[in-house]
Amino acid sequence: MQRAATLVMTLLTLAFVASGMKFALASRPDALLPEQFATLSGQADPDGLAEIYLRPQHPAMWIMLCILWVVLLGFALREAWPHKARPDLKLADLLLLIAALAAGTVWPWVAVGAPLVGFLLCVLMLLALIAAGRRTDSDGRLARDPTLGMFAGWATVLTFAAFASFLLDAMPIPVELATLAGAILSCSAAIAIQLRLPNNPTYTVTVMFALLATAATMIETNPPIAVIAVLSMAALTFLLVRVTT
């Protein structure tokens, strides 16, 4: 059963990467969807702030996304290749990773037509990753694994960017206000999650790099968002110092 779950996890990792690449390179993701589903998006821009992570426009964001894909593929292939010195992950760990990868594979495409459902799928991805790192009856490998830290860090920033996107879609508020709300929640969540993953500083490093890439992306088009990202990154500096000393 564990080997079958490992195979499913590996296949879903490939699907996650393929889905992310397809979405990132598509000029109009909604045009790739069935017509009946794509019309649900109307004239709104359901990608919103999450678009800068899903369809990078700056080299820094591309670097982050490509590193994430490569790390996830390496992790999946390593787990799929049996080794006497490395026992298989527990079934519960694998099921949580499968849930996170499945949600991460489909949520951007769902969000094109249904932003709220897409946001909830993004939340599911993050919660599954946190649960995988917090399981007390596993061998603790995932809690220390940089792959989980990077995936969870990226999912944290993306989740609250998706929340800000949903706010913009649901209410007539300025983009700066939605970004500020998302940044405050993202920093608060990052602190809480990192304290529950004390042996995985890769998590905070990933969140900070994502915020840095956000600032680099928005510095010319929307300077207030870049400032919010820099301030959020500065707020997390003490957390990184705490978990690395």
Side-chain angles (χ1 to χ4, degrees):
M1 190 67 178
Q2 284 177 288
R3 294 309 302 170
T6 300
L7 178 60
V8 172
M9 188 267 292
T10 303
L11 293 175
L12 275 174
T13 302
L14 294 173
F16 175 86
V17 174
S19 172
M21 291 181 65
K22 186 70 174 178
F23 198 93
L25 296 173
S27 58
R28 285 191 57 210
D30 59 308
L32 302 177
L33 297 172
E35 183 177 352
Q36 296 84 353
F37 185 78
T39 54
L40 294 175
S41 60
Q43 300 300 316
D45 179 17
D47 294 326
L49 295 170
E51 181 181 11
I52 64 176
Y53 302 99
L54 298 171
R55 290 190 283 165
Q57 302 299 316
H58 191 275
M61 198 67 77
W62 271 116
I63 289 172
M64 177 181 173
L65 200 53
C66 289
I67 290 176
L68 175 69
W69 290 338
V70 170
V71 168
L72 282 174
L73 287 173
F75 173 83
L77 293 175
R78 185 178 74 237
E79 292 297 329
W81 193 272
H83 195 282
K84 294 179 180 179
R86 186 185 62 250
D88 291 342
L89 288 169
K90 297 285 185 67
L91 182 59
D93 292 330
L94 290 167
L95 291 177
L96 288 169
L97 291 176
I98 287 171
L101 288 165
T105 298
V106 303
W107 91 261
W109 304 96
V110 173
V112 168
L116 177 57
V117 178
F119 166 64
L120 293 177
L121 284 172
C122 200
V123 171
L124 174 62
M125 173 176 64
L126 178 59
L127 291 178
L129 292 170
I130 296 171
R134 287 286 295 165
R135 271 185 23 88
T136 57
D137 56 346
S138 70
D139 59 8
R141 266 192 295 162
L142 285 179
R144 301 184 301 270
D145 197 310
T147 301
L148 184 124
M150 179 176 291
F151 195 5
W154 178 82
T156 299
V157 176
L158 194 59
T159 295
F160 292 101
F163 174 72
S165 299
F166 171 69
L167 285 181
L168 283 173
D169 186 66
M171 295 185 292
I173 60 175
V175 64
E176 294 81 8
L177 183 58
T179 303
L180 181 60
I184 291 173
L185 291 172
S186 181
C187 286
S188 302
I191 292 172
I193 294 169
Q194 181 64 89
L195 293 178
R196 286 162 175 76
L197 299 173
N199 299 317
N200 204 330
T202 307
Y203 172 80
T204 298
V205 172
T206 302
V207 173
M208 293 177 68
F209 187 85
L211 292 171
L212 178 63
T214 303
T217 302
M218 304 301 292
I219 189 63
E220 294 184 0
T221 58
N222 199 323
I225 293 180
V227 171
I228 292 172
V230 171
L231 292 176
S232 300
M233 184 175 61
L236 293 175
T237 303
F238 86 95
L239 181 62
L240 182 61
V241 173
R242 173 171 177 174
V243 297
T244 55
T245 58

